[in-house]
Amino acid sequence: VQLQASGGGSVETGGSLRLSCTPSGFTFNFGSTAWFRQAPGKEREAVSVIRSFSVPYYLESVRGRFTISRDNAKNMVYLQMNSLKPEDTAVYFCAASRRGLISSNWKVSTSYEHWGQGTLVTVSS
């Protein structure tokens, strides 16, 4: 099982990017798929998760600006990022779990069995 994240790039403050995550050997139809990010010198943090039959969760600092979505027909998960800020600069990773994660564990890296290689997002001021 592999996850491929793409869509990163360099934008100015206020710009938008859409990240995509696609798996091989795995389907997103069930379980949980999340986006994490890791900024230079900082720990990896959970940004958002989409789960089957439940509402998504978001990191408070991105709520209202980022939207996670899933296209089951294409087996893709997206992270639409609007109104980007310099503090959003990081390497973004997608991660997947076959379990339906909940509020107490969706932010925990070890809750996810599968990870992508990361895509760099740079937001300049």
Side-chain angles (χ1 to χ4, degrees):
V1 175
Q2 291 183 331
L3 300 178
Q4 180 73 34
S6 62
S10 297
V11 297
E12 295 183 347
T13 297
S16 298
L17 286 172
R18 188 179 77 159
L19 305 183
S20 300
C21 179
T22 184
S24 59
F26 184 83
T27 59
F28 284 141
N29 289 16
F30 300 98
S32 307
T33 307
W35 288 96
F36 282 72
R37 68 185 180 187
Q38 187 165 18
K42 295 187 177 181
E43 293 188 354
R44 188 173 299 189
E45 66 178 354
V47 175
S48 182
V49 65
I50 189 165
R51 307 161 301 149
S52 299
F53 314 117
S54 299
V55 297
Y57 288 138
Y58 293 95
L59 180 69
E60 189 59 36
S61 63
V62 308
R63 189 185 305 276
R65 299 188 297 121
F66 291 11
T67 302
I68 192 170
S69 61
R70 181 166 64 192
D71 185 330
N72 289 336
K74 296 182 178 179
N75 201 26
M76 298 278 286
V77 169
Y78 304 100
L79 185 68
Q80 178 66 44
M81 305 186 297
N82 298 329
S83 302
L84 283 162
K85 304 175 180 180
E87 51 264 44
D88 295 318
T89 294
V91 177
Y92 284 71
F93 302 86
C94 61
S97 172
R98 297 183 186 276
R99 299 179 296 153
L101 301 179
I102 58 177
S103 59
S104 62
N105 60 12
W106 78 273
K107 294 183 179 180
V108 180
S109 299
T110 53
S111 296
Y112 300 86
E113 301 93 73
H114 310 293
W115 289 82
Q117 84 292 354
T119 185
L120 177 62
V121 172
T122 303
V123 185
S124 59
S125 57

